[in-house]
Amino acid sequence: MASPLKTGKQSVDLATKGPRVSKIRRDPPPPVKELVVRDPEERDRRDVILGVITFALAIFVIIFAFGHYSGWSPSQYTVKIEAEE
């Protein structure tokens, strides 16, 4: 039977020595940026207002585009206002 070949490395005895200190130089971690937490109710309130304005603007544009496509114009109408005395 063949015997294993000897390697050039010496065996390490882990039982006698303490833990090895890492010799890799590392930069310190970057400072943690402070996270600003906003009030969820304030954010929801802002989102609702923005959504209502966006929806109203979209409806206005759709109605205006449909009127323009069909040939309607507000200049076709004359408004007469009579003052009551």
Side-chain angles (χ1 to χ4, degrees):
M1 198 180 262
S3 64
L5 296 174
K6 297 206 177 226
T7 61
K9 294 182 179 180
Q10 294 179 346
S11 61
V12 178
D13 185 16
L14 297 176
T16 59
K17 296 181 181 178
R20 289 190 328 181
V21 178
S22 174
K23 294 181 181 180
I24 300 173
R25 294 183 181 166
R26 294 183 178 93
D27 291 335
V32 177
K33 292 182 180 179
E34 191 172 316
L35 181 63
V36 178
V37 179
R38 298 183 188 243
D39 185 23
E41 290 182 9
E42 181 181 339
R43 186 193 60 203
D44 290 344
R45 201 175 305 127
R46 186 190 65 221
D47 290 346
V48 166
I49 291 171
L50 183 64
V52 168
I53 291 172
T54 303
F55 185 75
L57 183 63
I59 294 296
F60 174 76
V61 168
I62 289 171
I63 290 172
F64 188 76
F66 180 73
H68 182 69
Y69 175 74
S70 63
W72 178 84
S73 172
S75 63
Q76 294 174 347
Y77 297 97
T78 306
V79 178
K80 294 182 182 179
I81 301 175
E82 294 181 17
E84 292 183 26
E85 291 183 33

